[in-house]
Amino acid sequence: ETLSRVRQRAPLPTASHDHDIPAPMDNIRSQQSPSQQVLGVIIPGGVVRTDFIPSDPSGTKFTLALTGISGKDISSVSELVFFLLPGVTLPQNHGAMLYWQIVSTPASNNMSSTPFTAASTTTEFELVGAIANHRPSGAFRTGWSTNETLGVAMNSTALTITINLGVSIEPMSSVENVGVMQDKTTHVAKKIATDLFNYMQSFDTGGGGGGNMVVPKNIFERWMSRFEAKARVDPNFFMKDSD
């Protein structure tokens, strides 16, 4: 993917039509001031950011521009910590899904206080992770250091790059469907095992019978070489498979 594929102001992903529209953010309960921010994010070693702003009339989608970090510093951010603020409760059976996108603005446009201008272009939102009432915080890998589109954008002297975060309040069925609330170690192990199984299955001659596979003797070495090559390009490639 290159910068030629970015689009104007990509909207946050919406919940599947198979689910009810999430309850508005007015239903998020806080034990403190009703006008208080309810979500927080932090880059490890940085300041806590809670200044999310509503991005649509439903009251279920919010954005936050990560101003103050740019250039090569962006690629050095390997994790984001996302959390509900103390005393905050999401609507029942809902979670908060965190996304990110690239905002590219011509460097000649000196609108540093307003990163989203008419001249800005954005990529599609990509999922980072999710939190919920039973798991109100989490540390999530960004993948920014190996993101090809971000790398191209940062190497362009004609562009100023801002990372825009988006939050969407979704039914837990949608959150659980993408696996972002599962135990990380177990989930990663399952994804790697699935990748290996699918690779082996692609070599099966069908002559084993009884549910057995017939594959080359060096199948594991071949799979490992393939896995390492793909991981060098995208360390999380196996997490993106639909299987």
Side-chain angles (χ1 to χ4, degrees):
E1 184 177 9
T2 64
L3 286 178
S4 63
R5 297 180 60 184
V6 299
R7 305 192 314 173
Q8 293 287 335
R9 299 301 302 276
L12 271 169
T14 57
S16 168
H17 294 299
D18 294 333
H19 305 291
D20 295 333
I21 296 176
M25 286 294 281
D26 290 343
N27 290 343
I28 294 182
R29 298 190 297 276
S30 174
Q31 296 175 2
Q32 303 179 37
S33 170
S35 61
Q36 178 184 325
Q37 294 289 343
V38 297
L39 300 165
V41 69
I42 185 171
I43 295 172
V47 299
V48 175
R49 297 287 301 273
T50 62
D51 48 327
F52 286 91
I53 59 175
S55 61
D56 81 339
S58 73
T60 62
K61 292 177 172 54
F62 299 81
T63 59
L64 185 156
L66 285 181
T67 53
I69 178 169
S70 59
K72 298 301 182 183
D73 291 338
I74 294 176
S75 62
S76 68
V77 177
S78 60
E79 289 189 333
L80 290 176
V81 179
F82 181 44
F83 54 94
L84 296 176
L85 295 182
V88 170
T89 303
L90 293 173
Q92 187 175 8
N93 297 322
H94 283 74
M97 300 179 73
L98 180 66
Y99 298 84
W100 72 281
Q101 67 176 172
I102 306 166
V103 180
S104 304
T105 305
S108 59
N109 189 330
N110 296 318
M111 298 289 287
S112 58
S113 61
T114 308
F116 310 116
T117 67
S120 298
T121 56
T122 63
T123 59
E124 294 286 351
F125 277 99
E126 295 187 34
L127 181 63
V128 179
I131 56 177
N133 291 330
H134 67 281
R135 189 176 178 182
S137 66
F140 305 102
R141 292 184 60 83
T142 63
W144 294 346
S145 63
T146 57
N147 185 279
E148 181 180 353
T149 304
L150 181 57
V152 171
M154 289 191 303
N155 288 329
S156 173
T157 58
L159 296 174
T160 297
I161 302 303
T162 301
I163 297 296
N164 185 39
L165 301 181
V167 175
S168 182
I169 308 302
E170 302 281 355
M172 283 304 300
S173 54
S174 296
V175 176
E176 293 167 351
N177 186 53
V178 294
V180 290
M181 295 294 295
Q182 299 181 30
D183 176 76
K184 183 179 292 186
T185 302
T186 302
H187 188 53
V188 169
K190 287 181 178 178
K191 284 290 188 177
I192 294 176
T194 298
D195 185 79
L196 172 58
F197 175 80
N198 290 339
Y199 184 76
M200 293 175 64
Q201 194 173 46
S202 69
F203 286 88
D204 184 18
T205 63
N212 297 313
M213 284 189 188
V214 177
V215 297
K217 289 183 178 180
N218 64 344
I219 189 67
F220 291 106
E221 290 81 0
R222 294 169 68 171
W223 169 76
M224 197 64 209
S225 295
R226 166 188 167 276
F227 189 93
E228 291 175 340
K230 295 184 71 172
R232 282 192 291 270
V233 177
D234 179 4
N236 297 309
F237 78 92
F238 55 91
M239 299 296 290
K240 300 175 182 178
D241 292 341
S242 58
D243 302 279

